DNA sequence: TTCATATTTTAGTCACGACTAAAAAATAAT
DNA sequence: ATTATTTTTTAGTCGTGACTAAAATATGAA
């Protein structure tokens, strides 16, 4: 049973591990703490067999640590679904509230919440919700900016942050939305989209953050 | 913005104030902490103008402290409604989970939750839910054990605890249930009730904890 | 290789919220 | 009015999770 702080570290480690070796620097800056603090916590987690740490390999979650982290991510994303679907929050508002709720974890609350929400597989940002056993639903990894003109369904985002979410929301580019990629003007890197009745123009910075599947 | 611990103290002080002068002893034993710890916290709360403390009057919430406490109680009871009505928990299970959730309080979450639940006025135990402005819905204060034979609706409980809740649940004596008080056998202090199709017998210890209104 | 820079690690400190043990003050009983 | 008991208060300590500043190691460039 990790503390609240330990849970935050485990979740951070899980997220960071997706992009290569996890150093104290990366961990510390991601959490906004000093490297000294990060090291102290890594040692605690290591003593609890939740991570291993060698300078050469960096910080790595053990199987036990990964499982724990996935449960936290599961709670986080389920609460995001609740806040979005049931309480009517916008998708750029749910993350910070879920940061609080993810640490509430008595017995079967998560499973009841999951059932109440209808066993969702993806959160409001399109991110897969880890299942009880730690498996992650699969999702397309096609980036819009690299696709040929055709019809696509938006299924996810890369490097989500609130400003991007608000921008996309104003363009009606939300999860599940089907769009037509008309063409890519290569001389100024603008992508022309058909969204419902509107024609929208987005730059590469946005287009390369949108994950799609053929529709 | 009080800390989590401060919130727990404020809530305890609000509950305890209903039964007279609040001493360090009462506060400490209610929270399961030492009197020394309670004193240290009372001083912190006092510095924050949330309570006053004089040996003669005991510990008293200021207007600001009372308002804060009522918001915590509000969140607690709203989450209890959510857990009971939406997630299907039994009424003896919701309290301990709500103890965690009550401390999650970003911006308008409480108000959205209130709306989602349909603006309930009472929690699953019949306790009134403080409104946003700090007012408490009124409720009958008639104790079943002191009423003459007649039809009554159960609207609340006195000194709720899980064992009592499970006992009452097994007798189908839940909030909103209408029962007929048949008579009181004074020589052994047993109250005879008609609950739906069944006749139930309860002792004074139970009967004097049931709050009713005429039905 | 040698110096400069970046990263990791140590050492010492702090706030918070708890603890125990003992002293002081207030109440109650004889 | 004295004791005895209860309650409050002080004093010192501890674990958690943060900090800074400086030392030790690695890593990169000249
Ligand atoms: Mn999130
Ligand atoms: Mn998300
Ligand atoms: Mn409760
Ligand atoms: Mn209740």
């Amino acid at each position: 049973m990790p503390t609240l702080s330990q849970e935050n570290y485990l979740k951070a480690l899980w997220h960071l591990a997706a992009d290569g070796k996890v150093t104290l620097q990366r961990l510390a800056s991601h959490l906004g703490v000093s490297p000294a603090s990060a090291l102290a916590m890594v040692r605690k987690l290591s003593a609890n067999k939740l991570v291993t740490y060698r300078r050469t390999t960096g910080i790595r979650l053990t199987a036990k640590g990964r499982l724990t982290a996935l449960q936290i991510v599961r709670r986080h994303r389920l609460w995001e679904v609740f806040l979005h679907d049931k309480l009517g929050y916008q998708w750029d508002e749910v993350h910070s509230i879920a940061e609080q709720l993810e640490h509430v974890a008595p017995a079967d609350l998560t499973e009841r919440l999951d059932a109440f929400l209808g066993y969702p597989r993806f959160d409001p940002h399109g991110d897969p919700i880890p299942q009880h056993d730690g498996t992650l639903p699969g999702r397309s990894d096609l980036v819009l900016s690299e696709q040929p003109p055709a019809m696509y369904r938006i299924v996810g985002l890369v490097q989500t942050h609130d400003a991007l979410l608000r921008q996309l929301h104003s363009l009606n580019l939300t999860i599940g939305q089907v769009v037509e990629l008309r063409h890519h003007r290569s001389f100024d890197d603008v992508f022309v989209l058909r969204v419902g009745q509107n024609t929208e123009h987005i730059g590469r910075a946005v287009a390369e953050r949108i994950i799609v599947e053929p529709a």
Side-chain angles (χ1 to χ4, degrees), chain A:
Chain A
M1 42 234 72
T3 65
L4 186 148
S5 226
Q6 285 172 3
E7 289 196 345
N8 283 328
Y9 274 88
L10 289 173
K11 187 161 64 92
L13 289 168
W14 183 79
H15 280 295
L16 291 170
D19 306 291
K21 180 178 164 184
V22 182
T23 63
L24 286 172
Q25 285 279 326
R26 285 185 72 204
L27 178 59
S29 94
H30 185 264
L31 287 170
V33 300
S34 71
S37 302
L39 175 61
M41 183 57 90
V42 163
R43 283 179 171 156
K44 241 171 277 179
L45 295 173
S46 179
N48 292 345
K49 305 285 185 210
L50 293 163
V51 308
T52 59
Y53 175 43
R54 287 193 308 272
R55 248 183 313 234
T56 52
T57 60
I59 308 150
R60 303 188 54 175
L61 290 167
T62 62
K64 183 181 165 196
R66 186 168 303 106
L67 238 296
T68 307
L70 282 165
Q71 291 307 313
I72 301 161
V73 172
R74 172 169 167 77
R75 296 196 296 264
H76 178 98
R77 293 181 176 170
L78 284 173
W79 280 118
E80 284 190 344
V81 172
F82 170 74
L83 294 168
H84 183 267
D85 291 8
K86 303 296 183 180
L87 299 196
Y89 278 101
Q90 301 298 318
W91 72 348
D92 59 307
E93 303 175 301
V94 300
H95 178 79
S96 66
I97 305 176
E99 290 286 316
Q100 309 286 119
L101 290 166
E102 71 190 4
H103 303 291
V104 177
D108 59 346
L109 175 61
T110 309
E111 305 321 308
R112 289 205 186 228
L113 182 63
D114 191 26
F116 175 63
L117 297 173
Y119 305 101
R121 298 170 62 235
F122 301 95
D123 80 7
H125 314 104
D127 292 315
I129 297 173
Q131 301 301 296
H132 186 55
D133 61 9
T135 58
L136 271 175
R139 191 187 62 178
S140 161
D141 59 352
L142 304 178
V143 174
L144 180 62
S145 59
E146 293 165 7
Q147 306 310 312
M151 299 294 291
Y152 297 100
R153 173 176 295 106
I154 300 177
V155 297
L157 301 172
V158 180
Q159 286 176 7
T160 305
H161 59 277
D162 287 359
L164 174 66
L165 290 174
R166 278 189 294 272
Q167 181 62 37
L168 290 172
H169 186 261
S170 72
L171 296 170
N172 228 13
L173 298 175
T174 53
I175 301 298
Q177 179 68 259
V178 174
V179 303
E180 181 188 1
L181 175 57
R182 281 288 177 76
H183 76 285
H184 170 222
R185 283 201 323 243
S186 53
F187 75 92
D188 65 350
D189 241 9
V190 165
F191 295 79
V192 182
L193 304 177
R194 191 78 189 166
V195 186
Q197 302 308 312
N198 304 319
T199 301
E200 306 286 1
H201 300 72
I202 62 177
R204 169 166 298 276
V206 171
E208 70 188 7
R209 284 190 162 69
I210 299 177
I211 300 172
V212 297
E213 65 180 20

